[in-house]
PDB file of all heavy atoms in Angstrom:
ATOM      1  N   TRP A 555      -7.921  -6.481  18.835  1.00 52.00           N
ATOM      2  CA  TRP A 555      -8.762  -6.336  20.034  1.00 52.00           C
ATOM      3  C   TRP A 555      -8.171  -7.109  21.212  1.00 52.00           C
ATOM      4  O   TRP A 555      -8.189  -6.668  22.341  1.00 52.00           O
ATOM      5  CB  TRP A 555     -10.173  -6.859  19.771  1.00 52.00           C
ATOM      6  CG  TRP A 555     -11.015  -5.972  18.925  1.00 52.00           C
ATOM      7  CD1 TRP A 555     -11.626  -6.298  17.762  1.00 52.00           C
ATOM      8  CD2 TRP A 555     -11.347  -4.595  19.167  1.00 52.00           C
ATOM      9  NE1 TRP A 555     -12.306  -5.224  17.255  1.00 52.00           N
ATOM     10  CE2 TRP A 555     -12.160  -4.168  18.097  1.00 52.00           C
ATOM     11  CE3 TRP A 555     -11.031  -3.680  20.174  1.00 52.00           C
ATOM     12  CZ2 TRP A 555     -12.655  -2.879  18.008  1.00 52.00           C
ATOM     13  CZ3 TRP A 555     -11.526  -2.395  20.086  1.00 52.00           C
ATOM     14  CH2 TRP A 555     -12.323  -2.011  19.026  1.00 52.00           C
ATOM     15  N   SER A 556      -7.641  -8.303  20.911  1.00 48.00           N
ATOM     16  CA  SER A 556      -7.081  -9.101  21.998  1.00 48.00           C
ATOM     17  C   SER A 556      -5.940  -8.350  22.655  1.00 48.00           C
ATOM     18  O   SER A 556      -5.813  -8.312  23.874  1.00 48.00           O
ATOM     19  CB  SER A 556      -6.531 -10.421  21.465  1.00 48.00           C
ATOM     20  OG  SER A 556      -7.518 -11.068  20.740  1.00 48.00           O
ATOM     21  N   ALA A 557      -5.096  -7.777  21.801  1.00 48.00           N
ATOM     22  CA  ALA A 557      -3.943  -7.062  22.329  1.00 48.00           C
ATOM     23  C   ALA A 557      -4.388  -5.925  23.225  1.00 48.00           C
ATOM     24  O   ALA A 557      -3.804  -5.671  24.272  1.00 48.00           O
ATOM     25  CB  ALA A 557      -3.105  -6.531  21.181  1.00 48.00           C
ATOM     26  N   MET A 558      -5.476  -5.289  22.804  1.00 48.00           N
ATOM     27  CA  MET A 558      -5.921  -4.138  23.587  1.00 48.00           C
ATOM     28  C   MET A 558      -6.509  -4.536  24.927  1.00 48.00           C
ATOM     29  O   MET A 558      -6.314  -3.879  25.919  1.00 48.00           O
ATOM     30  CB  MET A 558      -6.990  -3.384  22.809  1.00 48.00           C
ATOM     31  CG  MET A 558      -6.410  -2.409  21.850  1.00 48.00           C
ATOM     32  SD  MET A 558      -7.692  -1.376  21.227  1.00 48.00           S
ATOM     33  CE  MET A 558      -8.544  -2.471  20.186  1.00 48.00           C
ATOM     34  N   ARG A 559      -7.284  -5.611  24.922  1.00 47.00           N
ATOM     35  CA  ARG A 559      -8.029  -5.941  26.117  1.00 47.00           C
ATOM     36  C   ARG A 559      -7.413  -7.082  26.918  1.00 47.00           C
ATOM     37  O   ARG A 559      -7.966  -7.493  27.925  1.00 47.00           O
ATOM     38  CB  ARG A 559      -9.476  -6.306  25.762  1.00 47.00           C
ATOM     39  CG  ARG A 559     -10.227  -5.196  25.053  1.00 47.00           C
ATOM     40  CD  ARG A 559     -10.330  -3.948  25.918  1.00 47.00           C
ATOM     41  NE  ARG A 559     -11.083  -4.205  27.129  1.00 47.00           N
ATOM     42  CZ  ARG A 559     -11.070  -3.421  28.186  1.00 47.00           C
ATOM     43  NH1 ARG A 559     -10.335  -2.340  28.190  1.00 47.00           N
ATOM     44  NH2 ARG A 559     -11.778  -3.713  29.245  1.00 47.00           N
ATOM     45  N   GLY A 560      -6.316  -7.635  26.433  1.00 43.00           N
ATOM     46  CA  GLY A 560      -5.686  -8.725  27.166  1.00 43.00           C
ATOM     47  C   GLY A 560      -6.546  -9.972  27.184  1.00 43.00           C
ATOM     48  O   GLY A 560      -6.425 -10.816  28.056  1.00 43.00           O
ATOM     49  N   CYS A 561      -7.454 -10.118  26.229  1.00 39.00           N
ATOM     50  CA  CYS A 561      -8.299 -11.308  26.191  1.00 39.00           C
ATOM     51  C   CYS A 561      -8.034 -12.055  24.895  1.00 39.00           C
ATOM     52  O   CYS A 561      -7.403 -11.546  24.002  1.00 39.00           O
ATOM     53  CB  CYS A 561      -9.776 -10.943  26.251  1.00 39.00           C
ATOM     54  SG  CYS A 561     -10.325 -10.088  24.783  1.00 39.00           S
ATOM     55  N   ARG A 562      -8.508 -13.280  24.826  1.00 39.00           N
ATOM     56  CA  ARG A 562      -8.293 -14.050  23.604  1.00 39.00           C
ATOM     57  C   ARG A 562      -9.641 -14.411  23.007  1.00 39.00           C
ATOM     58  O   ARG A 562     -10.459 -15.063  23.655  1.00 39.00           O
ATOM     59  CB  ARG A 562      -7.525 -15.330  23.930  1.00 39.00           C
ATOM     60  CG  ARG A 562      -7.232 -16.134  22.693  1.00 39.00           C
ATOM     61  CD  ARG A 562      -5.924 -16.850  22.870  1.00 39.00           C
ATOM     62  NE  ARG A 562      -6.047 -17.968  23.800  1.00 39.00           N
ATOM     63  CZ  ARG A 562      -6.411 -19.188  23.416  1.00 39.00           C
ATOM     64  NH1 ARG A 562      -6.661 -19.434  22.162  1.00 39.00           N
ATOM     65  NH2 ARG A 562      -6.504 -20.147  24.293  1.00 39.00           N
ATOM     66  N   LYS A 580     -15.498  -8.499  25.393  1.00 41.00           N
ATOM     67  CA  LYS A 580     -14.868  -7.252  25.823  1.00 41.00           C
ATOM     68  C   LYS A 580     -14.722  -6.306  24.654  1.00 41.00           C
ATOM     69  O   LYS A 580     -14.800  -5.099  24.805  1.00 41.00           O
ATOM     70  CB  LYS A 580     -13.511  -7.551  26.438  1.00 41.00           C
ATOM     71  CG  LYS A 580     -13.640  -8.217  27.780  1.00 41.00           C
ATOM     72  CD  LYS A 580     -12.289  -8.545  28.334  1.00 41.00           C
ATOM     73  CE  LYS A 580     -12.425  -9.306  29.639  1.00 41.00           C
ATOM     74  NZ  LYS A 580     -11.151  -9.855  30.060  1.00 41.00           N
ATOM     75  N   PRO A 593     -10.565   3.607  32.299  1.00 47.00           N
ATOM     76  CA  PRO A 593      -9.219   3.758  32.855  1.00 47.00           C
ATOM     77  C   PRO A 593      -8.204   3.040  31.972  1.00 47.00           C
ATOM     78  O   PRO A 593      -8.549   2.071  31.309  1.00 47.00           O
ATOM     79  CB  PRO A 593      -9.317   3.078  34.221  1.00 47.00           C
ATOM     80  CG  PRO A 593     -10.492   2.178  34.113  1.00 47.00           C
ATOM     81  CD  PRO A 593     -11.417   2.740  33.099  1.00 47.00           C
ATOM     82  N   PRO A 594      -6.963   3.502  31.931  1.00 45.00           N
ATOM     83  CA  PRO A 594      -5.962   2.833  31.094  1.00 45.00           C
ATOM     84  C   PRO A 594      -5.725   1.403  31.561  1.00 45.00           C
ATOM     85  O   PRO A 594      -5.863   1.092  32.738  1.00 45.00           O
ATOM     86  CB  PRO A 594      -4.709   3.684  31.290  1.00 45.00           C
ATOM     87  CG  PRO A 594      -4.939   4.456  32.534  1.00 45.00           C
ATOM     88  CD  PRO A 594      -6.411   4.600  32.708  1.00 45.00           C
ATOM     89  N   ILE A 595      -5.370   0.524  30.614  1.00 44.00           N
ATOM     90  CA  ILE A 595      -5.175  -0.886  30.944  1.00 44.00           C
ATOM     91  C   ILE A 595      -3.715  -1.081  31.363  1.00 44.00           C
ATOM     92  O   ILE A 595      -2.826  -0.663  30.649  1.00 44.00           O
ATOM     93  CB  ILE A 595      -5.451  -1.755  29.707  1.00 44.00           C
ATOM     94  CG1 ILE A 595      -6.819  -1.374  29.135  1.00 44.00           C
ATOM     95  CG2 ILE A 595      -5.378  -3.230  30.012  1.00 44.00           C
ATOM     96  CD1 ILE A 595      -6.901  -1.526  27.650  1.00 44.00           C
ATOM     97  N   PRO A 596      -3.465  -1.715  32.509  1.00 44.00           N
ATOM     98  CA  PRO A 596      -2.076  -1.886  32.927  1.00 44.00           C
ATOM     99  C   PRO A 596      -1.318  -2.803  31.970  1.00 44.00           C
ATOM    100  O   PRO A 596      -1.904  -3.703  31.370  1.00 44.00           O
ATOM    101  CB  PRO A 596      -2.191  -2.507  34.312  1.00 44.00           C
ATOM    102  CG  PRO A 596      -3.586  -2.980  34.446  1.00 44.00           C
ATOM    103  CD  PRO A 596      -4.427  -2.248  33.465  1.00 44.00           C
ATOM    104  N   TRP A 597      -0.027  -2.582  31.820  1.00 44.00           N
ATOM    105  CA  TRP A 597       0.795  -3.291  30.845  1.00 44.00           C
ATOM    106  C   TRP A 597       0.706  -4.810  30.901  1.00 44.00           C
ATOM    107  O   TRP A 597       0.623  -5.446  29.852  1.00 44.00           O
ATOM    108  CB  TRP A 597       2.255  -2.867  30.981  1.00 44.00           C
ATOM    109  CG  TRP A 597       2.504  -1.649  30.172  1.00 44.00           C
ATOM    110  CD1 TRP A 597       2.742  -0.398  30.621  1.00 44.00           C
ATOM    111  CD2 TRP A 597       2.490  -1.566  28.747  1.00 44.00           C
ATOM    112  NE1 TRP A 597       2.889   0.462  29.578  1.00 44.00           N
ATOM    113  CE2 TRP A 597       2.729  -0.227  28.415  1.00 44.00           C
ATOM    114  CE3 TRP A 597       2.297  -2.480  27.724  1.00 44.00           C
ATOM    115  CZ2 TRP A 597       2.793   0.223  27.115  1.00 44.00           C
ATOM    116  CZ3 TRP A 597       2.349  -2.039  26.429  1.00 44.00           C
ATOM    117  CH2 TRP A 597       2.596  -0.707  26.137  1.00 44.00           C
ATOM    118  N   PRO A 598       0.744  -5.449  32.110  1.00 42.00           N
ATOM    119  CA  PRO A 598       0.782  -6.917  32.109  1.00 42.00           C
ATOM    120  C   PRO A 598      -0.373  -7.542  31.355  1.00 42.00           C
ATOM    121  O   PRO A 598      -0.271  -8.637  30.882  1.00 42.00           O
ATOM    122  CB  PRO A 598       0.723  -7.267  33.595  1.00 42.00           C
ATOM    123  CG  PRO A 598       1.218  -6.048  34.280  1.00 42.00           C
ATOM    124  CD  PRO A 598       0.835  -4.890  33.431  1.00 42.00           C
ATOM    125  N   ARG A 599      -1.481  -6.826  31.221  1.00 40.00           N
ATOM    126  CA  ARG A 599      -2.644  -7.434  30.592  1.00 40.00           C
ATOM    127  C   ARG A 599      -2.570  -7.401  29.067  1.00 40.00           C
ATOM    128  O   ARG A 599      -3.464  -7.851  28.391  1.00 40.00           O
ATOM    129  CB  ARG A 599      -3.910  -6.750  31.084  1.00 40.00           C
ATOM    130  CG  ARG A 599      -4.144  -7.013  32.551  1.00 40.00           C
ATOM    131  CD  ARG A 599      -5.508  -6.552  32.991  1.00 40.00           C
ATOM    132  NE  ARG A 599      -6.559  -7.186  32.234  1.00 40.00           N
ATOM    133  CZ  ARG A 599      -7.740  -6.639  32.037  1.00 40.00           C
ATOM    134  NH1 ARG A 599      -7.999  -5.450  32.522  1.00 40.00           N
ATOM    135  NH2 ARG A 599      -8.667  -7.263  31.348  1.00 40.00           N
ATOM    136  N   TYR A 600      -1.492  -6.878  28.521  1.00 40.00           N
ATOM    137  CA  TYR A 600      -1.375  -6.850  27.072  1.00 40.00           C
ATOM    138  C   TYR A 600      -0.902  -8.171  26.498  1.00 40.00           C
ATOM    139  O   TYR A 600      -0.783  -8.315  25.293  1.00 40.00           O
ATOM    140  CB  TYR A 600      -0.402  -5.745  26.627  1.00 40.00           C
ATOM    141  CG  TYR A 600      -1.041  -4.403  26.695  1.00 40.00           C
ATOM    142  CD1 TYR A 600      -1.131  -3.710  27.885  1.00 40.00           C
ATOM    143  CD2 TYR A 600      -1.595  -3.839  25.558  1.00 40.00           C
ATOM    144  CE1 TYR A 600      -1.732  -2.485  27.963  1.00 40.00           C
ATOM    145  CE2 TYR A 600      -2.203  -2.607  25.618  1.00 40.00           C
ATOM    146  CZ  TYR A 600      -2.276  -1.929  26.826  1.00 40.00           C
ATOM    147  OH  TYR A 600      -2.873  -0.722  26.885  1.00 40.00           O
ATOM    148  N   ALA A 601      -0.606  -9.138  27.374  1.00 41.00           N
ATOM    149  CA  ALA A 601      -0.076 -10.417  26.889  1.00 41.00           C
ATOM    150  C   ALA A 601      -1.000 -10.989  25.819  1.00 41.00           C
ATOM    151  O   ALA A 601      -2.218 -10.997  25.980  1.00 41.00           O
ATOM    152  CB  ALA A 601       0.020 -11.370  28.059  1.00 41.00           C
ATOM    153  N   LEU A 602      -0.416 -11.478  24.740  1.00 48.00           N
ATOM    154  CA  LEU A 602      -1.221 -12.067  23.656  1.00 48.00           C
ATOM    155  C   LEU A 602      -1.476 -13.556  23.953  1.00 48.00           C
ATOM    156  O   LEU A 602      -1.836 -13.898  25.063  1.00 48.00           O
ATOM    157  CB  LEU A 602      -0.483 -11.900  22.325  1.00 48.00           C
ATOM    158  CG  LEU A 602      -0.838 -10.635  21.552  1.00 48.00           C
ATOM    159  CD1 LEU A 602       0.099 -10.496  20.369  1.00 48.00           C
ATOM    160  CD2 LEU A 602      -2.264 -10.683  21.069  1.00 48.00           C
ATOM    161  N   LEU A 603      -1.196 -14.427  22.998  1.00 49.00           N
ATOM    162  CA  LEU A 603      -1.422 -15.853  23.205  1.00 49.00           C
ATOM    163  C   LEU A 603      -0.303 -16.466  24.034  1.00 49.00           C
ATOM    164  O   LEU A 603       0.828 -16.044  23.944  1.00 49.00           O
ATOM    165  CB  LEU A 603      -1.474 -16.550  21.843  1.00 49.00           C
ATOM    166  CG  LEU A 603      -2.501 -15.992  20.876  1.00 49.00           C
ATOM    167  CD1 LEU A 603      -2.306 -16.634  19.516  1.00 49.00           C
ATOM    168  CD2 LEU A 603      -3.895 -16.241  21.385  1.00 49.00           C
TER     169      LEU A 603
END
Side-chain angles (χ1 to χ4, degrees):
W555 286 123
S556 306
M558 275 191 288
R559 301 299 297 164
C561 67
R562 182 148 73 88
K580 288 178 184 169
I595 308 148
W597 274 109
R599 293 190 58 207
Y600 283 81
L602 268 172
L603 304 172

